[in-house]
Every structure is written in structure tokens, then in C-alpha cells.
Amino acid sequence: MSTESASLPPVGASAVERAYTHVADLIISGSLPASSFLTEGDIAGALSLSRTPVREAFLALEARGLIRLFPKKGAVVTALDDAETAELLQVRIMLETTAVRLLSEREGDTGAVDADLAGLIGIQADAAASGDLLTFARADHRFHSRIVDENRNGVIDGFYAQLGPRLERLTHRVASRDPRNLERLLAEHRLLAGHVSSGDTAAYDRALREHVEAGHISTRIT
């Protein structure tokens, strides 16, 4: 049974951050499924906030592809169809494989990356053991994002951050459909981390494509 918990905004978080985190967690976890309707007033009331920060949060949620705004009416939670899912994962493959190649071409060891990836795998393992699928999904994205960081390109970093909530949503759905997927995803992350450490770009590309096919495409997330 899941003991999943919502993410807590950072200490001193602004009202906008509180509203954004609250709604994003509900959508990523599936508590607010696709086509759900929500209003600024509903969220403001639930969090004891004014509507102004909620309005700003809604704009950020729309920019990240989680909701669609209807002026003066409210917002509807988006659905991810097969085409968009495939496109998101294609971007992941391109950016990560390039990052691993660039990392392998640089002088020096991969110690810092190896340590970061091992730590994130540990967070996922703990989350899997406790049934906290939201934390598992967020750590999953951070794992892949840490590899993308090795492009060392600020434009790519900003672009990939915008995709983060949708990718977390995909992972959460895969994890929630079958508990066995948690261990499989973890095993595949360990394999990917090993290829990063060895600098084997071709092996990483093959393993990542298999990871995507098994984890997302074959489950037909919509």
C-alpha cells in the first residue's frame, strides 16, 4: 500500500511556490487526473491564499504543460497522448546520449557524477520501499536531469527543467500501474549509471532506449 506524501515547499517558500507545488503534486500523482477542472478560488481557499499568487502559479503550471487555462473560467488538467509521450522521451534520449558522449570526451574522472547518481538511486530505493511514488518519480527525473547537466549548456538546462513535471508524471504512472516496475526502473538506472561511469556512450544509448521502451512506450501512457 502506498504511503505517498506530497512534496513540501521549501522553508520560507513564497505563496506562488506553495500554490504551484500543491497543484503540481496533485497532478503528477494522479490525484487530479486529466480533464479535471480547477479554479483559482478553489486552490486559494484550500491553501488560505489570495487569488493573485494562485494565478501566477497557474501560469507556471501551464508553461510546464500540466494545465490549460481558460480565461475567467479556470483550468483543465492536460492529458498526455501517445504522440506527446514519444516526443518527450525522444528529447530525453537525444539530450542524455549527447551529455554522456561529451562527458566521456572530457579529461578527468566521473567521480562527482557517479556519486550524485548513486545518491539519487538510493533515494529512489528508499521511496520504493516505503511506497512513496511521488518521491520516486521526482528522484527519477533528477537522475536523468543530472546526466543532462553534463551538456553544460544553460539553454538546455532551462528547457529540460520545463519538461520535468511532465516527465515526473509519466514515471509516476508507470510506477503506480505495477509495483514490479519500481525494481525494474531501479535496476535500469544502476545499469545506466554504470555506462556513464565507464564512458560507454553506445552502451548507454542502447540501455536508455530499452529503458524508455520498457518503461513508457510499451505501457501506452495517456
Side-chain angles (χ1 to χ4, degrees):
M1 181 176 179
S2 172
T3 56
E4 185 171 356
S5 58
S7 300
L8 292 176
V11 175
S14 70
V16 176
E17 290 170 331
R18 286 179 57 205
Y20 175 89
T21 300
H22 175 76
V23 178
D25 284 356
L26 291 174
I27 296 172
I28 291 166
S29 68
S31 297
L32 272 177
S35 299
S36 295
F37 182 76
L38 56 159
T39 68
E40 293 173 5
D42 291 339
I43 303 304
L47 299 177
S48 298
L49 298 173
S50 69
R51 292 193 179 196
T52 299
V54 176
R55 186 174 303 120
E56 292 184 40
F58 274 19
L59 290 172
L61 289 160
E62 183 177 51
R64 289 163 176 78
L66 294 182
I67 64 173
R68 181 181 178 190
L69 292 175
F70 293 88
K72 299 182 180 180
K73 294 182 180 179
V76 173
V77 176
T78 58
L80 284 170
D81 60 22
D82 291 344
E84 185 176 2
T85 296
E87 289 167 358
L88 285 168
L89 296 170
Q90 183 180 33
V91 170
R92 167 175 280 179
I93 290 169
M94 289 189 297
L95 294 181
E96 288 189 38
T97 301
T98 300
V100 174
R101 176 179 58 78
L102 292 172
L103 178 62
S104 70
E105 292 172 354
R106 295 189 195 108
E107 295 183 1
D109 61 44
T110 61
V113 181
D114 294 343
D116 289 344
L117 295 181
L120 290 166
I121 289 171
I123 291 171
Q124 283 193 283
D126 290 344
S130 65
D132 187 346
L133 302 187
L134 187 57
T135 294
F136 185 94
R138 291 206 187 282
D140 183 281
H141 175 64
R142 287 170 60 199
F143 175 93
H144 290 282
S145 181
R146 179 61 185 88
I147 295 168
V148 171
D149 285 348
E150 290 305 312
N151 283 287
R152 298 189 181 178
N153 183 310
V155 174
I156 289 175
D157 291 345
F159 170 69
Y160 200 66
Q162 288 287 97
L163 302 182
R166 280 182 285 175
L167 290 166
E168 290 170 0
R169 191 179 179 190
L170 290 176
T171 299
H172 190 284
R173 290 185 179 183
V174 169
S176 63
R177 287 188 174 189
D178 187 343
R180 292 173 296 182
N181 285 333
L182 297 172
E183 285 305 318
R184 180 181 55 74
L185 291 170
L186 276 169
E188 291 170 358
H189 276 195
R190 293 186 182 102
L191 179 63
L192 290 170
H195 292 322
V196 171
S197 184
S198 66
D200 192 336
T201 304
Y204 185 91
D205 182 70
R206 287 193 300 272
L208 181 59
R209 290 177 187 277
E210 291 173 1
H211 178 60
V212 164
E213 287 287 338
H216 298 287
I217 301 299
S218 63
T219 55
R220 313 301 288 177
I221 298 176
T222 57

